[in-house]
Amino acid sequence: MDYPSGAPTGAVDAAPGAVSSNPATAAAAASLPATAASAPRGDTRLVDQAQPPPLSKHNQGLSPGKQVLQSQPPASQSPGQGQHPRAKPHGSPHSHAVETPAKPKSSAMAATVAPSDANLGLHIANRLVEIGCTSCFAVPGDFNLLLLDQLLKQPELSLVWCCNELNAGYAADGYARKRGVGCLCVTFCVGGFSALNAVGGAYAEDLPLIVISGGPNSQDHASNRILHHTTGANEYGQQLRAFREVTCCQVVIQHIEDAHMLLDTAISEAMLRRKPVYIEVACNLADLTHPSFARRPVPYALASSHTNAASLEAAVEAAVEWLGSGVKPLLLAGVRTRPVRARAAVLALAEASRYPVATMPDAKGMFPEDHPQYIGMYWGPVSTPCVCEVVESSDIVLCVGGVWTDYSTAGYSLLLKPEKMLRVDNNRVTLGSGPTFGCIVMADFLEALAKRVAPNDTGHVIFKRMALPPSEPPPQGEGELLRTNVLFKHIQHMLTPDTSLISEVGDSWFNTLKLKLPKGCEYELQMRYGSIGWSVGAALGYGVAERQSSPERRLVACIGDGSFQMTAQEVSTMLRYGLDPIIFLINNGGYTIEVEIHDGPYNVIKNWDYTGMVRALHNGQGKLWTAEARTEPELEAAIAEALKRRGELCFIMAVTHRDDCSKELLEWGSRVAAANSRKPPTTGYGGH
């Protein structure tokens, strides 16, 4: 099968100290009000972001197609405030509780600055707060210290100090998934290169990140000197060139006169394209004032993408005709339905059409799983039971926002044919092997189609005839080593509408994707990029975002031991800022997902005393409770106790057998291995 491309159609580039020649970018920087022109792809309204800031009363009376974003205080206390009462220690022989009160927030955060004292660094902080990014994940270094001093002066922006730049990038990724945009601040080269992997993941996952790096003194660029922290060249563009591969816009601020224009250009591009951007600030400019910073910034007015009315009408008419000819059409939702408006439009179309609805694995949680038309996850041979058969036997599959990779297609083994698909992407609609209609915003098409589509529930009736009620593994025997499927049976029982579930790369994918999310339960994974260790930092960022916007929620993270060893330090940051996730550390002695793709001695890892290490990270600051579970009764007791301990980070190590994994991972791993091991075609020369 030739899978339709899910890759973005291009990226904006910018030379050092200049902005891109792209029309949307140039328009964004034209004047003091950061007004961005209509972007060529996607629905670019910030109000469609994951958790957008509410619009203020000043937004009333705007011209159609624009929303003004106003600065606003956080919805709740910042990390480190509002600690929950101390809970009683648990008496289990496998548990250990340690806790200390959190220290009060520094008075420096409460300082205010007169407009006449505003400088570049404070202006950056104001812009971040204005777009709803009220936390910045940072690691100090000599090139960004002066900038960090200025960021601290904005009372509505909290800085979260991370253990290293890679983890800070993962944290900004997690924060962006909840709040719609994230930010990290690093030092030059040694910090930026460390963060590069995390920023690449955010680019792959369509997440707006504002990457701010301190840079060399503006006077050093023409000095012909070799600078510390660099690769030894006497020019300093190496970090910029690296970030061109993982950001949609890059600006280097070396002159205070054009700093406002360059900053607004980059931030506008991040919001418009839902991709990371790179902002490099010379280390000697951060505290300089300029007339453009002397008053509160003019609010952003981000232009929306505009749908071509004629193209929309033609696409809807063709789609209605084709869907009307189908016997058992089906609706398949992909990961690019993440924006709020797109999700609402998919839901409205589902209810108008009465089609059965399946989601791709990386779109789990983007369609309500308690909806009567939801049938489960489509992932080829590792789909929810009966879903693969219904999807691949449908004569028309209306696929919205799908991204087709070797991972999401189980090694390119799907039987779903492009000629049976009506594909709705960010800026185009394609009917099977036939025509493509361009210049159409996804949500506009879905909303228009919902008004005209004829209802047809045949596919849903077929699914209900063959579907079986879900089953659970039976209780384990006394003393029997905990099984993975039993572990996730109990995690299923603890999910509530106020739970946010984060799954690490690996067998946790397959086990959490089988869970049924209650209404309101949120779910995140990183499938396209699949960077092992992502979830620890992402849990930090997501937890910080929830503390600000919905403190009643509680995060649950499922992390494998191999992944945890890569980014474990950030648990100390969670403790430092008083976050209270429940972390399940699944200890099976290796990289299970890689074992099932291609095994070898390199997939065996050194076992750690994981609960002991976490207690060492605690070291008297924050609130921590740990437990170890090797049997089902121990697991049940640990979960029951963890649920009582709000305000405490609860770390549960679940020990399972090295070869205990889901059957879905076995099947998926063999297919991905087959795709990876394809040999070049024979040419007749030398046997190759």
Side-chain angles (χ1 to χ4, degrees), residues 40-55:
R41 300 185 298 278
D43 184 356
T44 58
R45 283 175 285 188
L46 182 62
V47 292
D48 279 357
Q49 293 293 341
Q51 288 289 336
L55 298 173

Side-chain angles (χ1 to χ4, degrees), residues 69-339:
L69 309 178
Q70 295 286 349
S71 176
Q72 58 174 359
S76 66
Q77 295 167 312
S78 60
Q81 292 182 306
Q83 299 298 322
H84 293 267
R86 184 175 300 186
K88 296 181 180 179
H90 179 41
S92 165
H94 294 303
S95 68
H96 187 82
V98 283
E99 55 188 46
T100 56
K103 294 181 179 179
K105 193 176 180 181
S106 169
S107 59
M109 290 295 292
T112 59
V113 178
S116 59
D117 297 328
N119 54 47
L120 173 57
L122 185 56
H123 178 72
I124 292 173
N126 291 338
R127 279 311 206 192
L128 292 175
V129 170
E130 185 183 355
I131 62 172
C133 184
T134 53
S135 288
C136 175
F137 300 88
V139 179
D142 59 342
F143 285 109
N144 72 352
L145 297 178
L146 186 61
L147 175 60
L148 294 175
D149 286 340
Q150 313 317 309
L151 298 181
L152 285 167
K153 295 176 182 178
Q154 166 52 269
E156 297 178 28
L157 179 68
S158 63
L159 274 80
V160 180
W161 310 112
C162 296
C163 296
N164 62 52
E165 291 85 358
L166 174 63
N167 292 346
Y170 288 149
D173 173 308
Y175 188 89
R177 290 168 184 265
K178 179 70 177 180
R179 295 278 287 183
V181 60
C183 177
L184 67 151
C185 185
V186 298
T187 194
F188 192 58
C189 284
V190 292
F193 288 153
S194 179
L196 201 62
N197 181 45
V199 178
Y203 189 96
E205 301 281 323
D206 299 327
L207 298 172
L209 292 193
I210 314 298
V211 182
I212 304 173
S213 173
N217 189 293
S218 60
Q219 300 183 72
D220 283 340
H221 285 267
S223 66
N224 199 35
R225 295 169 178 166
I226 296 176
L227 199 62
H228 73 286
H229 285 345
T230 68
T231 56
N234 57 1
E235 60 83 31
Y236 313 133
Q238 53 264 54
Q239 181 171 280
L240 170 68
R241 291 190 294 272
F243 272 93
R244 280 179 176 155
E245 298 298 322
V246 294
T247 57
C248 71
C249 177
Q250 312 83 33
V251 299
V252 178
I253 300 176
Q254 298 175 6
H255 307 283
I256 195 68
E257 292 78 13
D258 60 1
H260 185 283
M261 178 188 72
L262 295 176
L263 176 68
D264 284 357
T265 294
I267 293 177
S268 296
E269 285 297 303
M271 307 311 296
L272 290 167
R273 303 187 185 281
R274 295 193 177 94
K275 295 287 185 183
V277 296
Y278 172 79
I279 302 171
E280 184 179 313
V281 181
C283 63
N284 59 324
L285 300 186
D287 64 345
L288 296 187
T289 60
H290 189 266
S292 59
F293 312 144
R295 58 188 174 87
R296 290 182 64 85
V298 174
Y300 275 104
L302 297 181
S304 302
S305 286
H306 294 287
T307 292
N308 182 292
S311 184
L312 175 63
E313 176 61 27
V316 171
E317 185 174 342
V320 168
E321 181 179 356
W322 196 33
L323 291 169
S325 68
V327 176
K328 44 183 179 179
L330 176 139
L331 178 58
L332 178 63
V335 68
R336 288 194 168 137
T337 60
R338 175 183 291 276

Side-chain angles (χ1 to χ4, degrees), residues 332-394:
L332 178 63
V335 68
R336 288 194 168 137
T337 60
R338 175 183 291 276
V340 173
R341 185 181 171 214
R343 294 195 202 192
V346 170
L347 179 59
L349 177 59
E351 294 179 343
S353 66
R354 298 173 60 189
Y355 298 166
V357 181
T359 57
M360 296 178 68
D362 48 359
K364 182 177 178 66
M366 296 181 189
F367 187 88
E369 296 190 2
D370 64 330
H371 195 280
Q373 289 166 238
Y374 180 72
I375 63 173
M377 176 190 66
Y378 174 63
W379 201 0
V382 293
S383 301
T384 304
C386 303
V387 171
C388 181
E389 294 80 1
V390 171
V391 172
E392 294 181 351
S393 66
S394 296

Side-chain angles (χ1 to χ4, degrees), residues 83-87 98-102 574-576 578-580 618 621-625 646-650:
Q83 299 298 322
H84 293 267
R86 184 175 300 186
V98 283
E99 55 188 46
T100 56
M574 299 180 199
L575 290 165
R576 180 180 185 180
L579 302 181
D580 67 343
H618 169 260
Q621 182 180 9
K623 295 184 178 181
L624 172 69
W625 179 82
R646 282 309 310 256
E648 296 179 74
L649 190 154
C650 295

